[in-house]
Amino acid sequence: MLEIASELQNTRFYQEVKAEGRLAGERSLILLLLNRSLGEISPEIETQIAALNIEQLEALGFALLDFSGFDDLRQWLQEPG
């Protein structure tokens, strides 16, 4: 049984589902933290955040610790990379 589970974890499908779950969890946490620190996030900004990849979400997670308002978030989202 453990052998089958191990084989399943090595499949491309499993890896993709796992990555999607991680991305969704990261996105949810970032939105929760932004809502807590800045207030309600607009649908436009939520859409921009939804388009970020995992590395960008992690960078945003660190950057938001220094945000003092929505202008900081908007500026960060407009920066290339």
Side-chain angles (χ1 to χ4, degrees), residues 18-72:
K18 184 177 175 183
E20 287 177 26
R22 180 173 176 225
L23 181 63
E26 187 95 18
R27 186 179 302 122
S28 293
L29 179 60
I30 296 298
L31 289 170
L32 179 70
L33 293 171
L34 287 168
N35 274 303
R36 176 76 188 251
S37 63
L38 302 178
E40 188 173 343
I41 304 298
S42 72
E44 177 186 320
I45 291 178
E46 275 194 48
T47 300
Q48 288 179 281
I49 292 171
L52 300 176
N53 63 38
I54 193 75
E55 291 83 14
Q56 292 168 319
L57 285 169
E58 289 173 352
L60 177 55
F62 284 111
L64 73 81
L65 297 172
D66 297 324
F67 292 170
S68 59
F70 279 106
D71 288 338
D72 294 329

Side-chain angles (χ1 to χ4, degrees), residues 56 75-81:
Q56 292 168 319
Q75 181 179 348
W76 189 92
L77 289 168
Q78 290 177 359
E79 292 176 1

